[in-house]
């Protein structure tokens, strides 16, 4: 349980790459599975980097690639907010970085 608290604290401090490295040490998780844990813990600050995204967009399946993909998702999020792109479920809030990632994933999925 301590690991998840540490990871959550890192996510709150906007240290998602460090959080990924920490959670990957837990039972030797890979980037894909580790990043899924991060998204579950903080969907407003984390994304999933899996084989589909890596294979189709060329991100490396490691913490460095995760940081690059997360940064790119934040860029798209800022652009969507600046363009006042309507969120499809306004009763649930506004765009989060994980919503951007899921939108990208859906477009890439075979």
């Amino acid at each position: 349980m301590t690991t998840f608290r540490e990871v959550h604290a890192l996510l709150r401090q906007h240290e998602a790459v460090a959080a990924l490295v920490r959670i990957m040490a837990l039972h030797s998780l890979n980037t894909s599975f580790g990043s899924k844990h991060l998204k579950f813990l903080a969907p407003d600050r984390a994304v999933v980097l899996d084989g589909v995204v890596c294979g189709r967009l060329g991100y490396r399946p490691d913490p460095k690639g995760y940081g690059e993909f997360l940064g790119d998702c934040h860029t798209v999020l800022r652009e969507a907010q600046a363009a006042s792109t309507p969120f499809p479920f306004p009763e649930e809030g506004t765009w989060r970085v994980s919503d951007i990632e899921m939108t990208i994933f859906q477009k890439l999925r075979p």
Side-chain angles (χ1 to χ4, degrees):
M1 189 62 139
T2 301
T3 300
F4 283 98
R5 286 191 180 119
E6 291 171 10
V7 167
H8 192 253
L10 287 166
L11 289 167
R12 283 194 319 264
Q13 298 166 15
H14 300 280
E15 295 290 339
V17 174
L20 178 64
V21 169
R22 180 67 181 105
I23 203 153
M24 286 174 64
L26 187 67
H27 300 293
S28 301
L29 297 178
N30 64 22
T31 301
S32 176
F33 199 58
S35 66
K36 288 174 181 155
H37 281 76
L38 299 186
K39 181 178 174 179
F40 173 76
L41 290 171
D44 59 324
R45 297 178 187 205
V47 297
V48 172
L49 180 62
D50 67 1
V52 172
V53 173
C54 290
R56 300 288 300 274
L57 297 180
Y59 292 98
R60 293 180 6 199
D62 61 19
K64 183 176 193 272
Y66 179 82
E68 291 169 356
F69 182 54
L70 177 62
D72 289 345
C73 287
H74 273 291
T75 297
V76 174
L77 174 62
R78 285 189 298 275
E79 290 175 9
Q81 291 168 332
S84 299
T85 304
F87 186 63
F89 308 102
E91 64 280 359
E92 295 180 25
T94 60
W95 289 101
R96 303 169 298 181
V97 71
S98 63
D99 299 317
I100 299 299
E101 168 260 314
M102 185 53 71
T103 302
I104 292 168
F105 175 81
Q106 288 299 322
K107 293 301 268 184
L108 296 174
R109 200 170 68 156

